[in-house]
Structure formats: C-alpha cells, structure tokens
Amino acid sequence: MQDEAWKSLLTGDEHAVAADTREPLLAVFGPLQDARKHQRPCIVAQLGLSLDGRIATQTGDSKYINGRHALTHLHRLRALVDAVVIGAGTARADDPQLTVRHCAGAHPARVVIDPQGSIPATAKVWTDDGNRCLVFGGAADLPAHVERLAAPGGGIPVAGIVESLAAQGLHRLLIEGGADTLGRFLTAGYVDSLHLLYGRVILGSGRIGVSLPPIQSLSQALRPQGCAHVFPDGDLLVTCDLKTA
Ligand SMILES: NC(=O)c1ccc[n+]([C@@H]2O[C@H](COP(=O)([O-])OP(=O)(O)OC[C@H]3O[C@@H](n4cnc5c(N)ncnc54)[C@H](OP(=O)(O)O)[C@@H]3O)[C@@H](O)[C@H]2O)c1
C-alpha cells in the first residue's frame, strides 16, 4: 500500500476521522506502515473489551462489544497486515469472515490455529474468495484451497507459527483473538503492539481479555507506553507498545 493510499484509510470511508484527530490516529498505524516499507516483521494484536475488561459473555457472545468506529479501526488494521490470525475458539464461537469491509484496502490472508481439526469445512473463514486461507492442524476434509502448515519441530509453539508464516511471505500479522491465542503470543514475547478497544458497556461477568501467567508483585507487571484515542461514539482505543514495556 502506498503512502497516500495508507492515509486515505482514515478518510475514504463512512467513518472518516475528523481532521483534527487524524494525525495522532495515523501515528497508531505507524509501526505497521514502517514494517511494510522496510520489510520488517511486525505483530499487532487487538481486543474489543467491555469497560470491565471482558471480551465476551460467559456463553461466548461478543458481537458487538464495540460500536462502528472501533469496528472500522479493526478493519483498517486488517487492511495493513499480511495475515490475520485467530484461534480455534474464535472460529468456533464467531464464525468470522476476517475480510476488509468497512474501509478501503486489500483483504489479508486468514490463518486459523486449529490443532484438533474442530473447524468445519463450511466455516466462513475458508471461503474461496481468492484470498489465502492457512491452517495449523485443521480438519481432514477442508477445501483444497486451504493451505496446511506445520510449525517446525512439531506442536504449535508461537515461535514456530511466526516462522512458518514468515516462510510464506506473511510478516505483518494481526492477532485477532481470542484471549487464549493472544495470551500465548504475549507470553512468548511476540506482540509489538496491542490495540485495546473499549466499548461503552459493562458486562459484569464473562471472559477476560488478557490472561498471562500469574505475577507476585506489581514490579513484574507490564507497563507499556502508548496512546489513547476517543472515537466519536465514545469508544476508546488504548494502544500498548509492548516492545518498550
Ligand atoms: N472481543 C474481541 O475482540 C474478541 C476477539 C476474538 C474472540 N473473542 C471471543 O473470545 C472467545 C474465544 O476465545 P478463546 O480464548 O476461548 O479462544 P481462542 O484464543 O480463539 O482459541 C483458543 C484455541 O485455539 C487453539 N490454539 C491457539 N493457539 C494455539 C497454539 N499455539 N497451540 C495449540 N493450540 C492453539 C486451541 O484450540 P483447541 O481448543 O481446539 O485445542 C485453543 O484452545 C469467543 O467467545 C469469541 O467470541 C472476542
């Protein structure tokens, strides 16, 4: 994506960002743009959270915690990466399409981590629309266009996932969830930047968004730098630069 096309991400759709807040929001996408220019790997993760830090109800309902502006932000992230990665739990609960629909831009490749082959061949994520679909694990009867990958050394360790995707030319990744998959990438130290999108809703129960191994004291906690941006409908984006945390 060229510079101008990249800037038009914020202006060319129904949720165009007001001129006075455009520059700070553009900065949020900077690491992905830099990675594209300089052919560097970059891994961004996103979560849509309630104000009390939940990503779904107890039953797994998460559509939609956020309003349209945050959803558009997510689609802009998709448009800037080579591939979107989800865990089997998200594919089972949400049956997502993982395409770019709310802004201009190309669809990313879709990657599912499905060690037990639980995602059916009819899932939307396998739609044969000309975009790459890749799976770690996967059911035996998946459509022919779905590419099967193995992580080097067996198992599905995060390092192996990243290495296998890089070998496929997929260097800029968006980890779209859910909590288990994100936790694995965070724990392994592979996330450069985390985008937390808070919707104006309190669930009071349900699945927590960020789950990491327990720590004993606050001195061990991550304290990332980053910025905050309030969307016109009140949803809040908090970015966390985890490389400096
Ligand atoms: N609000 C949001 O932004 C958001 C985003 C995404 C999802 N969600 C919600 O989150 C819930 C799903 O999240 P979740 O934490 O339960 O599941 P998840 O992270 O989507 O998937 C976890 C599963 O993926 C597989 N997996 C992922 N990484 C693996 C690895 N490195 N090695 C082996 N297996 C791996 C395992 O599959 P198996 O279980 O088959 O072993 C694991 O149990 C749903 O309710 C969904 O609606 C919310």
Side-chain angles (χ1 to χ4, degrees):
M1 185 180 288
Q2 299 303 309
D3 278 8
E4 284 317 305
W6 172 64
K7 282 189 179 178
S8 74
L9 266 184
L10 296 189
T11 55
D13 58 53
E14 75 220 74
H15 299 109
V17 176
D20 55 341
T21 56
R22 214 169 280 160
E23 284 307 319
L25 196 54
L26 270 180
V28 157
F29 297 108
L32 277 172
Q33 176 68 351
D34 283 351
R36 232 173 227 288
K37 265 191 196 151
H38 304 294
Q39 293 294 300
R40 276 201 303 266
C42 184
I43 302 185
V44 175
Q46 79 83 40
L47 277 180
L49 302 125
S50 64
L51 291 174
D52 52 338
R54 315 283 176 160
I55 61 161
T57 65
Q58 214 93 39
T59 59
D61 187 17
S62 67
K63 285 183 177 166
Y64 289 97
I65 286 174
N66 296 106
R68 295 298 301 270
H69 291 273
L71 194 58
T72 302
H73 180 80
L74 167 60
H75 282 230
R76 288 176 182 135
L77 285 174
R78 286 180 185 169
L80 287 169
V81 295
D82 299 322
V84 173
V85 180
I86 59 167
T90 297
R92 282 192 290 265
D94 298 347
D95 194 17
Q97 300 177 62
L98 305 182
T99 52
V100 176
R101 302 183 301 280
H102 296 293
C103 66
H107 302 305
R110 305 185 282 263
V111 180
V112 182
I113 308 168
D114 183 19
Q116 302 184 56
S118 65
I119 309 307
T122 51
K124 288 184 189 138
V125 77
W126 311 135
T127 302
D128 190 2
D129 55 3
N131 301 296
R132 292 181 77 180
C133 302
L134 304 101
V135 66
F136 289 89
D141 62 346
L142 291 181
H145 70 276
V146 179
E147 302 169 58
R148 290 178 188 277
L149 296 181
I156 319 188
V158 167
I161 293 169
V162 173
E163 192 181 325
S164 293
L165 293 178
Q168 294 294 319
L170 305 171
H171 302 284
R172 285 151 292 276
L173 309 179
L174 172 62
I175 313 302
E176 223 182 283
D180 175 81
T181 302
L182 173 60
R184 292 175 197 249
F185 274 80
L186 286 173
T187 304
Y190 273 84
V191 180
D192 294 279
S193 174
L194 176 59
H195 288 214
L196 299 172
L197 289 153
Y198 289 92
R200 297 201 64 80
V201 58
I202 295 172
L203 300 187
S205 62
R207 306 189 181 192
I208 57 164
V210 182
S211 180
L212 292 169
I215 54 172
Q216 307 307 318
S217 79
L218 276 174
S219 64
Q220 297 168 284
L222 294 173
R223 290 189 187 270
Q225 300 292 307
C227 67
H229 176 86
V230 182
F231 291 105
D233 57 6
D235 275 14
L236 171 69
L237 165 67
V238 177
T239 63
C240 305
D241 177 358
L242 293 171
K243 287 297 170 197
T244 60

